[in-house]
Amino acid sequence: MRNWHHKVIKLDRARDLLLSKYINKYGYSNVYIGVIEGQIEFQATNSSNPLTINDYTPAHGSFSDISGNRKVFTRSSVISTDPKYNKQFTQNISTLSPSMHTTCVTGIISGNEDSSTLIDGISPNIRVINSNNFEDGLFLALINPFSNNNILSPFFASAKDNDFINGGASNTSDSYSNNFTSVINCSFNIPLTSTKVDFILKELFAYGRNGRGTLVVVSAGNGDDSTGRGLEISETVTDSGYRTTAFSNKSLIVAASKVILDSNDLPSYINNPVFDESKADYSNYGKRVDLCAPSGPDSNPSKDDINIYSPTMLNCGNIGTDKQSFFTKINQVVSNTKLILENVKGIFKGQSIELGDSNSYFHELRYINKVDKITGTNNVEVTLDTPIKFTKDFNKNGVQFSLVGTNARIVALKKNATKHTGSNYQLTLKDLRGINLRTGSQKVYIYPKNSELTGIDTEITTIVDENTYRIEVRDNLSALPNDPINNPLILVPDQIKASIKCINYYKNTKPTSPYYSVTSVNDIAGFFVGQEVLLSGGTNRIAFITKIDGTTITMSHSPSPIDDKLTMTSLAYGDFTSRFTGTSAATPIVSGLAGLILSANNDLNAAEIKHILKETTDKITGASNYSLVNNDTKYNYSYTTNDRFGTGRINAEAAVQLAIDWHTSTTVQKPKMEIADRLNGLILESVLETEPVDSPDIWIKSLADNTTQEPSPTQLFNNPNTSVDQKIYIKVRNSGNKASFKECDLRVYIAFTDDENPAFPFPSKWYDQADVKLLAVKEIPIIQGGSSTTIGIEWKDIASKWNMWNNLDTATTKRKNAYLLAHIAPFDGNSNEVRNTNIRFNKQLSCKPIIVSHNSVTDGSAFLPGKKLDLTVGAQSVQKKFHLLMENVLTTNLSSFKIRARTTKNNSNKTVEEVFYEKTGNTWSLQPSPTDNWIAFDQPIETPGNHPEYTNIKFPHTINVDNTKLEVKLEIVNI
């Protein structure tokens, strides 16, 4: 059965829910999913290079919508000679380098249902943005301008990497450039350091989808290819099961379950199929696994009917469209390996044959291992590579099925051919795929498209011109029509073969994709990347070509000993495959379902999508095999889990229903995260646009102050001193009825502005930049529903940065107003609760104005921050004038203000003389008078501070000392 996994996860029922509520059961085209492991198969529409957005299209028909418009497209990072634009984002493609793996993943997520193959993706209406690597996830979510600045901030210094520095999005006139991904699929192990992955995931959750977050869905992995056994996922780099995403709670890690459809008596046609489901042996496992999805029983795709069916690269699969297939009636079942087929020609060894009803469990695929023509008829006897299981004869419990009289579907490589003018023996082909004359000739069947049985069996004897794809055949073609428009000729070639030798399998002591070699490039003429092949010479196995580089070939799923000699033979040539498997196939099933969840409710954030997927799983193997994680430091806190399956296997129907109910049902359990803009007693109130935001949930104290008491609600301002380390406190509230999710972060910034009642729109004022500085990103601990927690953030060494961050206006002796900003990521709530134009309309953004005291000294050319000031005047006895500036001092504190000035011997702290400059009444004076007038103060100059209660005060003074003997130290006291 082609879409068996749809039945297992109850996809049809989920689609019915969407259809009944939204008149659209396949998802919405405004939802985008990123596939970032390599390039899907694109093809040029002309000869331009590089290919621009209008010069290429997805090669597979399943990747364009019903109107023929692309729904799968690329975003690429290109190298520039200018380092500033080293990863400039573009829609152009410099080279076409398709990946069969990536193409299959894309097809599982969003491939259209093909009218003849009946294979479709989980969410066919959803669009896919394709890129080459995980770092480009920041491009796909269109958050790269913010990420550039944040990665350069001191907070993320350990993760800094020049690969993140880029020029931002280009081709802004192209509508696709402004569409962001809601989900990113990673069917591979991300080859980055944990610090880089941590940075990317945090950025995606904070800025993706305008603050609702982009969810990254990651495969658990297929274990150790050398043994075929899964590994326990580890956070330790030296372990073989290490996965860079394992340490982060923001990724959703997908394991694979093994589904056995033939373990019982034949399953019936009903919507609830009978099957056994357990852990796939190859699937990695462990406490970090979030959930699982169905896949094949073996990471080596060698079984039939139990792997995932998907679109693949053109001519690289064992299922074809109607145009690629021969249809023939089964005349007789000779044995479980031999069938007689009626009225068919063009049948060769290696072609795949599809038997039974493709939309039921009476269905299987085989390869033709031998073809014998039956004399005097157009019938053939075919021998299959393995015995049939389900479809030979069945009669049980009132269900009957027999192959005799049913149609078989055989995939053939049908190549358009045009007679060459001036010769009845020569043809021109579109390309030479599947053509290889290394052994001297190649059998072919040539027929007019409108008459499959009136063709000629012949052989290709010569490739006349490789550049124009002109060939010559043994037999005269004059009997065939020459009507390329209405009745073109079709050429079907026999199998091609090559002798190969394994030259490398283990790399750096770890198994990797095996490499094979051939003597000459001519040996592998006709083979191509993505192609399905049979490797024989020992144990026969099916593999896929992943790369051809001269005389070297890379294969997937084909481990061999070094120097092993094999025969590689072409198989089938369809555009679809039944052989995609592993956690690579399970992961896009989950990503596609996440897209359907967003189609049901686009107001969900990334943490909520992840929770809905996990909360609604089916407990395969029985609920008794799952246990509750009640330690809130663990990744799967509050879920019942199993190390093999996470919370269980996804249930599309239940997930879509919960998504529909999330913001409308009063019974749904969900957190609701908030930071107060204003409190009226215990009630959180909104603030009008014309009113200031002064959050009671944000305050600041000296780091040395160990008291935990919150400030009085009537306290207008926090007044930190830059010369003292501080601690910022943020109260985070959960007003929902469920404990918060571990995926939530708190981001804290300091911002500077002269705006009155600033709006601080998101995201333009919520990343590190000239007037906004990122101070911290901290995971919010689990907060039970109806309660809150206070998070403390140390803020050190402020004075050394203050003058760079918030420049002093020397004319007014004032700086910009300072605000502490607090951001809960990702946003939750409906669209009215998380508007981005003004913090007053977003319950997860708030701010606190702070009045900052800062002391500095200038001689007209430099500021010296800090409370204690060591001044060097110069050699000999020299006079020099300075200004000591104190900013934002409470006016009432000036009555007790003092400046201590003292001279000390050079290179020691031994005091020679000490004096104080202080205010008595309204008069400033030095007490006592200094000997030799080594210091003198002019009248202080007072100007308004950043608030009416605060004053800026400047103290002009002159110092006259012999610097070779004495040092001068000034210290502010009683402030």
Side-chain angles (χ1 to χ4, degrees), residues 425-637:
Y425 293 87
Q426 293 186 5
L427 295 167
T428 299
L429 307 177
K430 182 181 179 180
D431 56 52
L432 295 179
R433 278 189 169 193
I435 307 299
N436 186 329
L437 298 185
R438 183 180 57 83
T439 57
S441 64
Q442 183 178 2
K443 292 180 181 179
V444 294
Y445 177 67
I446 304 169
Y447 68 96
K449 180 180 179 181
N450 296 336
S451 182
E452 292 181 355
L453 299 178
T454 61
I456 295 174
D457 287 304
T458 185
E459 295 179 356
I460 302 174
T461 58
T462 307
I463 297 178
V464 179
D465 189 334
E466 290 187 10
N467 295 319
T468 61
Y469 314 129
R470 183 153 51 102
I471 63 170
E472 186 167 290
V473 298
R474 183 194 61 209
D475 296 289
N476 193 316
L477 302 175
S478 60
L480 296 177
N482 187 18
D483 186 1
I485 303 299
N486 299 310
N487 193 15
L489 295 180
I490 305 295
L491 180 148
V492 179
D494 194 1
Q495 281 182 303
I496 57 176
K497 297 184 178 184
S499 296
I500 62 175
K501 183 175 74 171
C502 185
I503 57 175
N504 180 40
Y505 179 51
Y506 281 85
K507 186 176 183 180
N508 298 329
T509 72
K510 291 187 178 181
T512 184
S513 295
Y515 293 82
Y516 297 86
S517 69
V518 293
T519 304
S520 166
V521 292
N522 290 329
D523 292 342
I524 51 173
F527 289 96
F528 48 92
V529 172
Q531 186 173 10
E532 185 176 22
V533 295
L534 175 69
L535 299 181
S536 55
T539 302
N540 290 353
R541 57 192 182 277
I542 295 170
F544 300 90
I545 299 174
T546 57
K547 185 178 181 181
I548 298 177
D549 186 7
T551 59
T552 302
I553 308 168
T554 308
M555 303 277 191
S556 67
H557 301 292
S558 56
S560 295
I562 300 296
D563 295 329
D564 195 16
K565 294 180 180 179
L566 304 168
T567 298
M568 179 175 70
T569 310
S570 63
L571 288 177
Y573 281 102
D575 291 350
F576 297 81
T577 181
S578 69
R579 298 191 179 280
F580 197 54
T581 185
T583 57
S584 292
T587 302
I589 294 173
V590 177
S591 296
L593 177 54
L596 288 184
I597 288 171
L598 279 172
S599 298
N601 184 351
N602 200 42
D603 282 341
L604 294 167
N605 70 24
E608 291 167 334
I609 299 166
K610 182 178 177 182
H611 167 74
I612 288 171
L613 286 165
K614 296 176 67 171
E615 181 72 14
T616 56
T617 54
D618 289 333
K619 305 297 185 185
I620 55 175
T621 72
S624 61
N625 292 321
Y626 295 74
S627 57
L628 177 67
V629 179
N630 53 20
N631 183 338
D632 63 8
T633 66
K634 301 300 182 184
Y635 292 112
N636 281 309
Y637 170 70

Side-chain angles (χ1 to χ4, degrees), residues 527-759:
F527 289 96
F528 48 92
V529 172
Q531 186 173 10
E532 185 176 22
V533 295
L534 175 69
L535 299 181
S536 55
T539 302
N540 290 353
R541 57 192 182 277
I542 295 170
F544 300 90
I545 299 174
T546 57
K547 185 178 181 181
I548 298 177
D549 186 7
T551 59
T552 302
I553 308 168
T554 308
M555 303 277 191
S556 67
H557 301 292
S558 56
S560 295
I562 300 296
D563 295 329
D564 195 16
K565 294 180 180 179
L566 304 168
T567 298
M568 179 175 70
T569 310
S570 63
L571 288 177
Y573 281 102
D575 291 350
F576 297 81
T577 181
S578 69
R579 298 191 179 280
F580 197 54
T581 185
T583 57
S584 292
T587 302
I589 294 173
V590 177
S591 296
L593 177 54
L596 288 184
I597 288 171
L598 279 172
S599 298
N601 184 351
N602 200 42
D603 282 341
L604 294 167
N605 70 24
E608 291 167 334
I609 299 166
K610 182 178 177 182
H611 167 74
I612 288 171
L613 286 165
K614 296 176 67 171
E615 181 72 14
T616 56
T617 54
D618 289 333
K619 305 297 185 185
I620 55 175
T621 72
S624 61
N625 292 321
Y626 295 74
S627 57
L628 177 67
V629 179
N630 53 20
N631 183 338
D632 63 8
T633 66
K634 301 300 182 184
Y635 292 112
N636 281 309
Y637 170 70
S638 82
Y639 297 101
T640 54
T641 68
N642 176 302
D643 286 358
R644 305 287 176 172
F645 310 111
T647 65
R649 188 242 306 120
I650 57 169
N651 180 325
E653 178 188 24
V656 168
Q657 184 65 65
L658 183 53
I660 291 171
D661 295 340
W662 191 259
H663 291 114
T664 58
S665 172
T666 58
T667 61
V668 170
Q669 299 286 305
K670 62 179 182 291
K672 189 179 180 71
M673 308 297 286
E674 298 175 294
I675 300 176
D677 285 342
R678 182 166 61 192
L679 281 177
N680 182 1
L682 298 177
I683 306 300
L684 276 67
E685 287 190 336
S686 59
V687 177
L688 298 177
E689 289 187 61
T690 56
E691 296 177 330
V693 175
D694 183 9
S695 173
D697 287 347
I698 305 172
W699 64 92
I700 188 168
K701 293 182 179 181
S702 165
L703 186 59
D705 184 350
N706 294 321
T707 62
T708 58
Q709 184 177 359
E710 296 180 28
S712 165
T714 60
Q715 180 179 333
L716 290 178
F717 296 106
N718 288 275
N719 182 213
N721 190 320
T722 63
S723 65
V724 178
D725 291 339
Q726 304 287 332
K727 193 166 187 178
I728 302 166
Y729 294 90
I730 312 287
K731 176 180 281 189
V732 180
R733 303 169 185 265
N734 178 7
S735 60
N737 55 9
K738 177 180 173 58
S740 62
F741 301 132
K742 285 184 67 66
E743 292 81 4
C744 295
D745 282 338
L746 176 67
R747 290 184 168 232
V748 179
Y749 311 79
I750 187 165
F752 310 100
T753 179
D754 286 329
D755 293 347
E756 185 176 356
N757 301 332

Side-chain angles (χ1 to χ4, degrees), residues 399-418:
V399 178
Q400 298 183 28
F401 187 84
S402 175
L403 276 181
V404 176
T406 63
N407 283 333
R409 179 188 189 112
I410 301 172
V411 177
L413 179 58
K414 297 181 178 181
K415 304 180 71 69
N416 289 334
T418 304

Side-chain angles (χ1 to χ4, degrees), residues 203-353:
E203 295 289 288
L204 290 172
F205 259 66
Y207 301 111
R209 297 175 58 226
N210 290 323
R212 292 189 187 272
T214 296
L215 178 65
V216 176
V217 184
V218 187
S219 64
N222 295 339
D224 185 345
D225 286 341
S226 66
T227 66
R229 309 293 296 184
L231 301 170
E232 185 170 8
I233 294 176
S234 169
E235 299 177 39
T236 305
V237 177
T238 55
D239 289 353
S240 55
Y242 173 67
R243 310 285 286 186
T244 54
T245 51
F247 73 94
S248 172
N249 54 44
K250 291 180 173 55
S251 58
L252 187 145
I253 298 182
V254 181
S257 63
K258 175 172 64 176
V259 175
I260 306 296
L261 297 178
D262 64 337
S263 58
N264 301 278
D265 291 334
L266 189 69
S268 68
Y269 292 95
I270 62 175
N271 286 330
N272 293 314
V274 178
F275 56 86
D276 282 348
E277 188 172 15
S278 58
K279 177 191 175 291
D281 291 340
Y282 56 80
S283 178
N284 287 347
Y285 60 93
K287 296 185 181 303
R288 182 58 190 89
V289 169
D290 286 295
L291 46 69
C292 70
S295 191
D298 197 323
S299 63
N300 183 355
S302 58
K303 303 292 193 299
D304 62 284
D305 199 35
I306 44 179
N307 299 301
I308 304 299
Y309 290 62
S310 174
T312 187
M313 290 170 58
L314 301 186
N315 301 131
C316 293
N318 59 342
I319 301 172
T321 63
D322 287 352
K323 293 180 180 180
Q324 295 175 305
S325 304
F326 290 123
F327 293 87
T328 176
K329 185 173 290 186
I330 298 175
N331 178 280
Q332 181 181 348
V333 178
V334 179
S335 70
N336 61 359
T337 57
K338 290 188 178 182
L339 307 173
I340 294 179
L341 310 178
E342 290 184 0
N343 290 321
V344 65
K345 288 188 174 183
I347 307 302
F348 291 106
K349 182 179 176 181
Q351 293 170 338
S352 68
I353 180 169

